[in-house]
Amino acid sequence: MTSWIDVGSDADIPLRGARRLLIGQTPVAVFRAGDGALFALIDRCPHKHGPLSEGIIHGRTVTCPLHNWQISLDTGHALGADTGCTPTLQVASRDGRVLVDVAPLMLAAS
Amino acid sequence: MPVTPRARPRPNSRPRLVVIGNGMAGCRAVEEILALAPDRFAITIIGAERQVNYNRIMLSPLLAGDKTFDEIVLNDASWYADNGIELITGCAASAVDRDARRVELEDGRVLPYDALILATGSNPLMLPIPGMDLPGVVTFRNVDNVETMLAACGKGGRAAVIGGGLLGLEAAAGLARNGMDVTVVHLMPILMERQLDQSASYLMVRELERRGIAVLLEAKTAAFEGRERVEAVRFDDGGVTPADLVVVAAGIRPNADLARECGLDVKRGVVVDDALRTSDPSIYAVGECVEHAGLCYGLVAPIWNQCRALASTLASDGALAFKGGETGTKLKVSGVEVYSAGLFAGHDRQEDVVFRDAARGVYKRLVFDNERLVGAVLFGDADDGPWYLSLIQSGASVIDQRETLIFGRAVTEALAGANPRSAVAGWPDTAEICGCNGVCKGAITNAITANGLSTLDDVRAVTKASASCGSCTPLVEALLASMLGEGYEAGPAVKTVCRCTPYGHSLVREQIIARRLTSIPAIMQELEWTTPDGCASCRPALNYYLLCAWPGEYEDDKHSRFINERAHGNIQKNGTFSVVPRMWGGLTSPAELRAIADVADKFKIPTVKVTGGQRIDLLGVKKEDLPAVWADLGAAGMVSGHAYGKALRTVKTCVGTDWCRFGTQDSTGLGVRIEKFMWGSWTPAKVKLAVSGCPRNCAEATCKDIGVICVDSGYEIHLGGAAGLHIKGTEILCKVATEDEALEVIVATTQLYREDAHYLERIYKWMARVGLECIRLRVIEDAAQRLALFERFVRAQTYSQIDPWAERARGVDSDEFRPLTPALTEAAE
Ligand SMILES: Cc1cc2nc3c(=O)[nH]c(=O)nc-3n(C[C@H](O)[C@H](O)[C@H](O)COP(=O)(O)OP(=O)(O)OC[C@H]3O[C@@H](n4cnc5c(N)ncnc54)[C@H](O)[C@@H]3O)c2cc1C
Ligand code: SF4
Ligand code: FES
């Protein structure tokens, strides 16, 4: 099952930037890499729950603002020597709108 | 309206095939059908344009004057006649009656069909802004548009091209060739953002500028203005640029009007299956008007595949289905070769390999997904594009060639099986190693053998290779290593900025000035960064270096700043922020304290604490509350304390002669004066100051970055203390007699530190690296240099002494503080 919600326009997610939103109690971060690709992750670092949406984005990686763990935007996995994983969500851009599939969150809630 | 005479009598038995759209896809589809079954259909093509089918891709050379119309015709009148095709030009189809299987033309004629092909292409996007219909505002899609542009060129003057995609850049190049003064206006920060990344875009901007074309990025057009015809373009920030001609090339939209009106399934384009069939089994669609598996296509390569598949459906067994999918795009944009292929996102563990050749203006980026190559962007040298595409499409493992792939096909194949680290050893002798001094590989290897060279410096001395910008140093070292084996010991490695570059901070800072590099992509290209957009270590450093080198000119890149500096507060462990307003020299007032108390109540701020820097910290502020908190503090006269920045933090003071019986000078007054002069400036690492009124040193000035100890005869200026992770007492830089001199020395020293230190290097570390003597020579002994440093600081302050809190309270950068608010669930399936 998928459940897409419209989280904003393409222009709302700047290049090498991120925006945060709440789905129920869960913070979700929507990122745009330098090559324009969109990603969505639960906005919690696997280390100590730092807000990944506030990190610096480079390549397809975000560096957590709290202790500099590097998290892959593709997989949510911590890179390098660190281990841990943040759940990813599907994201798509359609007709200028950014859509996120929040079905996994709704499943978890129910 | 010319109608070609029927060449052959049409046997009534043949099914009637009608094609709407006499463009590239429609005619190619007909050609493919004729090739399979020349006599299957009685064919009619309806075209809204006056001309026979011509090569739309060649409109740019037509505009540039490199081609004539006759040279770009694809199917001349005799082709239609020879193949018995009835051609109707200059007349659009206005409706399709599916029940009666008839096409209605705008002149009232009606054509029955057995099979219908929609090949209506796309329409240029119109901007929903005032003035779009003014004379002199044109789009770029057909021969008529080109004629309008050429007529305008005849009068000379200025042209604005709205849209920095493929079409816009082609139009700009053509207009410039015709002598117009051209400005390209692009909404995004990157030109051709579908095909290029930031680095390639930087090269493209440079190339256009070389041709005299100006480029405005991130500029949103708000209106076209003029009385009788267009005279100017207005932007949403109020800026205006004059223009006698405006070309709108802001994108295209599939032209699916007819299909929609007759009730076919239409999303963005006319929806078709793998056989190019629409939701009506006797109607087909092909070309840019089509949507297949959720994708619309805007380039001819995939469209040719559609035409073949459609012909297979209509004139054969339909075995050749259209599969869509990835194709490479090779483009020549105003003479520059650009190639992009494959995917750049959405895969597991993708990794980039980047190659830059600054001298030749070449940029290549390969994207790997584990063992496979999945994407490529090439700029300036696109010869290997199709080869990369074949590797992408094959999906085979390239793990063995991964190290050499980026050097191209020739090198990879020559080195297959060889040690990848000695890639350069396998290069031909004629391969250029040092671009600055034009030294090729053979010259270096010969010199090494003939002169028995064994160090990098030897090679530099004899051949000049790597003696200028140094960017080829790793190559020269690799050559030495491959020839001398164990006998070669690399020199002491410089500490590099980060893993994206072989260079250290000092070299990067020198090169920024020497080569006038004014943007992060420029540095990354010219210094041959190995990643597409750096990392969390180098980007903040480069952003600071540029800010320091080009005050007022360089535009701060907030996405290259740590969150604290981007949000102007300190992030806390739970994601909230702390707010520390400035208290000049540690002084505050009842009014300020009241405002702080009110803010703490109003925004339910959980913790209020006195800091070590003599001010007050409000902890636990929600990010979305920050602008409102700042607005309230600002109303009481307070500004940002920069407690979150690599910036001037506090100037701690004691009460000095104002109150203390030991005071020798007005230490509070001097501290306030210094802080008012220096606040707002960005520095390589945080800078903390203190002024004590006598050697009892109540302000603890001797463990600060810069400290002042007042004495009866004047002021001792201290430098390089630390009281954090490391504890270090200051050293005395000098002694001066007056407050003015004290300020001048402190400011000049800070500026030297700003210009010279490595990013994140505190003053005490910088001092240990360059030596106190060296600092003294430049700031104390050399009065002229001191004054110049002082003046550069003052100039930089005119751009940085703007309260970032007040700006954001007014709404600047509001997206940073506003969470997204999702709309209601759109669709659950
Ligand atoms: C300036 C320019 C440069 C380009 N450069 C490149 C390039 O370098 N590489 C590349 O791959 N692609 C390039 N393209 C894109 C390429 O030209 C198109 O992908 C291709 O032309 C699409 O073919 P089509 O038949 O779908 O549309 P078109 O070629 O546009 O043909 C559609 C035709 O249908 C007609 N029509 C529309 N509605 C009706 C109607 N109701 N009745 C009758 N007729 C109708 C239109 O007038 C038009 O003649 C370029 C395009 C332009 C404009
Ligand atoms: S440093 Fe000297 S002048 Fe300042 S408060 Fe202490 S004793 Fe007084
Ligand atoms: S919470 Fe992300 S690195 Fe520690």
Side-chain angles (χ1 to χ4, degrees):
Chain A
M1 193 192 84
T2 53
S3 177
W4 294 97
I5 58 164
D6 180 328
V7 301
S9 74
D10 266 334
D12 284 335
I13 324 287
L15 221 50
R16 262 174 251 98
R19 296 291 296 277
R20 169 184 244 244
L21 62 138
L22 279 179
I23 301 292
Q25 295 299 308
T26 315
V28 170
V30 184
F31 301 87
R32 190 186 294 282
D35 58 15
L38 287 166
F39 301 91
L41 268 68
I42 304 296
D43 196 13
R44 272 193 213 120
C45 178
H47 179 216
K48 294 192 173 173
H49 288 185
L52 296 173
S53 56
E54 310 284 25
I56 290 184
I57 295 150
H58 45 99
R60 273 170 298 267
T61 307
V62 60
T63 296
C64 177
L66 294 196
H67 318 94
N68 293 329
W69 276 30
Q70 306 219 354
I71 310 299
S72 158
L73 293 175
D74 285 312
T75 63
H77 282 284
L79 302 176
D82 301 314
T83 52
C85 183
T86 297
T88 59
L89 297 173
Q90 287 196 72
V91 60
S93 158
R94 216 167 293 145
D95 295 326
R97 306 296 302 174
V98 176
L99 309 178
V100 174
D101 175 14
V102 297
L105 300 177
M106 324 233 296
L107 279 179
S110 66
Chain B
M1 170 198 336
V3 176
T4 46
R6 235 165 260 161
R8 285 182 239 169
R10 193 168 70 184
N12 286 334
S13 59
R14 288 198 292 168
R16 289 155 302 186
L17 173 64
V18 173
V19 181
I20 303 180
N22 182 35
M24 296 185 72
C27 289
R28 173 64 81 99
V30 169
E31 283 180 347
E32 297 281 358
I33 291 167
L34 291 173
L36 292 176
D39 297 314
R40 169 82 53 96
F41 297 101
I43 302 174
T44 303
I45 303 180
I46 307 163
E49 291 184 73
R50 291 176 289 115
Q51 297 83 3
V52 289
N53 177 37
Y54 57 89
N55 190 344
R56 205 169 297 284
I57 297 174
M58 290 294 168
L59 285 179
S60 323
L62 184 69
L63 174 62
D66 295 336
K67 295 266 186 223
T68 63
F69 179 73
D70 285 344
E71 286 173 311
I72 70 167
V73 165
L74 288 173
N75 301 92
D76 59 15
S78 60
W79 174 81
Y80 297 89
D82 293 349
N83 289 292
I85 298 163
E86 180 185 14
L87 173 64
I88 301 172
T89 57
C91 180
S94 52
V96 177
D97 180 341
R98 286 165 53 200
D99 295 331
R101 293 209 182 162
R102 294 188 316 197
V103 176
E104 291 160 24
L105 303 192
E106 61 182 356
D107 64 0
R109 275 184 293 172
V110 171
L111 295 177
Y113 67 80
D114 297 300
L116 176 65
I117 299 177
L118 300 173
T120 47
S122 11
N123 290 324
L125 275 185
M126 297 294 168
L127 299 177
I129 58 172
M132 189 67 212
D133 50 0
L134 278 175
V137 178
V138 295
T139 55
F140 188 21
R141 183 75 199 171
N142 56 38
V143 168
D144 289 350
N145 301 146
V146 171
E147 281 168 4
T148 315
M149 286 190 237
L150 287 175
C153 291
K155 300 185 210 113
R158 287 190 248 224
V161 175
I162 314 299
L166 168 69
L167 289 193
L169 300 190
E170 288 283 336
L175 295 171
R177 280 279 295 279
N178 280 293
M180 290 196 90
D181 219 343
V182 185
T183 303
V184 173
V185 179
H186 194 49
L187 186 59
M188 305 294 283
I190 290 182
L191 287 177
M192 291 177 65
E193 68 277 358
R194 279 167 177 273
Q195 287 87 21
L196 304 185
D197 58 12
Q198 191 181 27
S199 304
S201 165
Y202 157 75
L203 286 172
M204 182 60 89
V205 171
R206 208 178 59 170
E207 180 61 29
L208 292 171
E209 284 172 349
R210 211 175 54 78
R211 285 159 206 251
I213 298 170
V215 180
L216 284 180
L217 294 175
E218 294 186 85
K220 185 163 185 192
T221 307
F224 303 125
E225 298 181 336
R227 261 156 298 157
E228 244 113 83
R229 46 179 294 121
V230 70
E231 290 162 22
V233 177
R234 177 176 293 283
F235 302 108
D236 71 342
D237 65 0
V240 176
T241 189
D244 311 300
L245 172 71
V246 169
V247 179
V248 177
I252 54 172
R253 167 167 298 152
N255 175 7
D257 296 347
L258 279 180
R260 194 174 287 113
E261 282 155 20
C262 72
L264 293 178
D265 187 7
V266 174
K267 286 183 183 156
R268 214 139 61 88
V270 187
V271 176
V272 295
D273 60 15
D274 293 358
L276 281 310
R277 203 179 273 116
T278 67
S279 54
D280 178 331
S282 51
I283 304 182
Y284 304 81
V286 69
E288 284 187 352
C289 62
V290 155
E291 175 172 332
H292 174 265
L295 292 178
C296 296
Y297 294 87
L299 293 165
V300 293
I303 289 177
W304 293 163
N305 290 339
Q306 290 179 356
C307 292
R308 267 190 294 276
L310 175 58
S312 165
T313 307
L314 278 171
S316 174
D317 57 1
L320 209 70
F322 178 64
K323 291 281 179 248
E326 281 311 313
T327 47
T329 319
K330 181 164 186 170
L331 301 169
K332 228 189 165 96
V333 187
S334 51
V336 187
E337 282 187 9
V338 177
Y339 190 93
S340 71
L343 303 164
F344 294 90
H347 276 242
D348 279 1
R349 303 242 168 184
Q350 287 190 345
E351 247 184 90
D352 291 304
V353 175
V354 170
F355 169 85
R356 303 174 193 249
D357 182 335
R360 287 193 301 140
V362 169
Y363 169 84
K364 302 186 194 181
R365 169 173 167 219
L366 298 183
V367 184
F368 294 92
D369 173 357
N370 292 315
E371 299 185 358
R372 294 180 308 118
L373 180 68
V374 295
V377 181
L378 312 176
F379 187 97
D381 172 4
D383 290 350
D384 284 326
W387 180 64
Y388 289 129
L389 177 64
S390 67
L391 293 176
I392 293 170
Q393 287 172 334
S394 80
S397 166
V398 291
I399 191 99
D400 299 335
Q401 305 148 308
R402 236 182 92 149
E403 307 278 329
T404 53
L405 223 46
I406 191 87
F407 298 111
R409 180 176 199 166
V411 172
T412 303
E413 292 181 349
L415 285 182
N419 173 6
R421 277 228 216 86
S422 60
V424 54
W427 290 9
D429 278 350
T430 49
E432 189 173 78
I433 301 277
C434 173
C436 300
N437 298 316
V439 190
C440 61
K441 184 191 150 197
I444 300 173
T445 48
N446 287 342
I448 293 174
T449 334
N451 301 319
L453 308 181
S454 64
T455 68
L456 183 63
D457 282 341
D458 290 347
V459 175
R460 283 186 180 146
V462 175
T463 67
K464 288 234 157 17
S466 139
S468 296
C469 85
S471 61
C472 61
T473 305
L475 291 179
V476 176
E477 292 195 308
L479 267 184
L480 275 164
S482 75
M483 294 181 67
L484 304 177
E486 300 292 293
Y488 174 69
E489 262 176 51
V494 270
K495 198 169 164 298
T496 63
V497 174
C498 64
R499 301 219 318 249
C500 304
T501 169
Y503 304 124
H505 289 271
S506 299
L507 185 130
V508 170
R509 295 204 78 168
E510 276 160 38
Q511 293 288 313
I512 288 172
I513 307 285
R515 294 159 77 172
R516 238 194 124 15
L517 306 177
T518 56
S519 70
I520 291 178
I523 299 174
M524 291 185 173
Q525 176 61 28
E526 299 302 331
L527 301 182
E528 302 182 337
W529 239 243
T530 57
T531 47
D533 55 5
C535 70
S537 297
C538 58
R539 282 234 308 279
L542 297 184
N543 189 57
Y544 167 71
Y545 293 156
L546 287 164
L547 214 56
C548 178
W550 317 115
E553 185 182 339
Y554 174 66
E555 200 182 320
D556 200 350
D557 174 22
K558 66 179 189 132
H559 295 299
S560 293
R561 283 194 181 258
F562 290 119
I563 180 60
N564 289 357
E565 294 185 357
R566 188 159 20 102
H568 293 275
N570 266 321
I571 195 162
Q572 304 298 316
K573 60 185 265 188
N574 64 356
T576 63
F577 286 80
S578 76
V579 169
V580 184
R582 210 167 270 288
M583 288 183 175
W584 309 102
L587 293 177
T588 184
S589 67
E592 285 184 357
L593 292 172
R594 229 170 255 126
I596 289 173
D598 287 345
V599 162
D601 279 344
K602 178 166 161 192
F603 294 94
K604 305 200 168 48
I605 295 172
T607 303
V608 182
K609 182 182 182 311
V610 174
T611 73
Q614 300 184 335
R615 37 197 199 171
I616 290 177
D617 194 349
L618 298 159
L619 288 136
V621 184
K622 290 204 253 346
K623 192 178 185 191
E624 48 276 31
D625 286 343
L626 286 173
V629 165
W630 295 333
D632 285 5
L633 295 174
M638 283 175 273
V639 301
S640 162
H642 292 81
Y644 48 80
K646 313 295 172 215
L648 183 97
R649 297 272 177 97
T650 54
V651 183
K652 212 169 154 175
T653 66
C654 74
V655 292
T657 43
D658 272 354
W659 297 97
C660 177
R661 63 201 161 107
F662 300 113
T664 63
Q665 309 282 355
D666 176 13
S667 50
T668 324
L670 176 57
V672 171
R673 185 172 165 197
I674 295 173
E675 190 166 356
K676 292 222 156 157
F677 200 90
M678 293 179 66
W679 75 278
S681 72
W682 298 105
T683 44
K686 62 185 168 188
V687 173
K688 296 181 174 178
L689 276 67
V691 185
S692 286
C694 84
R696 286 173 185 77
N697 192 16
C698 294
E700 298 161 346
T702 52
C703 64
K704 294 288 178 282
D705 295 285
I706 304 178
V708 180
I709 305 282
C710 303
V711 290
D712 284 325
S713 56
Y715 306 82
E716 283 174 15
I717 316 259
H718 288 240
L719 195 65
L725 211 51
H726 303 277
I727 305 218
K728 201 185 153 296
T730 49
E731 293 179 47
I732 293 193
L733 177 66
C734 67
K735 210 181 128 186
V736 295
T738 66
E739 261 196 15
D740 288 354
E741 288 169 292
L743 184 74
E744 189 177 303
V745 167
I746 290 169
V747 165
T749 309
T750 307
Q751 181 65 12
L752 183 63
Y753 167 63
R754 296 183 72 231
E755 293 175 7
D756 196 62
H758 300 170
Y759 191 62
L760 300 187
E761 188 176 50
R762 290 288 294 270
I763 286 190
Y764 76 96
K765 290 205 169 150
W766 168 63
M767 190 167 99
R769 181 167 61 82
V770 302
L772 180 60
E773 244 355 87
C774 162
I775 298 169
R776 199 176 274 142
L777 268 174
R778 294 164 76 177
V779 197
I780 311 300
E781 313 289 322
D782 186 343
Q785 197 170 350
R786 177 169 68 242
L787 204 66
L789 283 164
F790 183 87
E791 277 166 3
R792 286 205 291 278
F793 185 88
V794 169
R795 198 173 99 71
Q797 284 296 80
T798 57
Y799 302 103
S800 54
Q801 222 170 46
I802 298 164
D803 179 24
W805 289 0
E807 282 185 313
R808 279 152 191 80
R810 275 203 318 272
V812 169
D813 214 8
S814 56
D815 277 359
E816 176 73 42
F817 303 96
R818 201 171 39 219
L820 290 174
T821 39
L824 290 174
T825 301
E826 185 175 81
E829 52 197 45

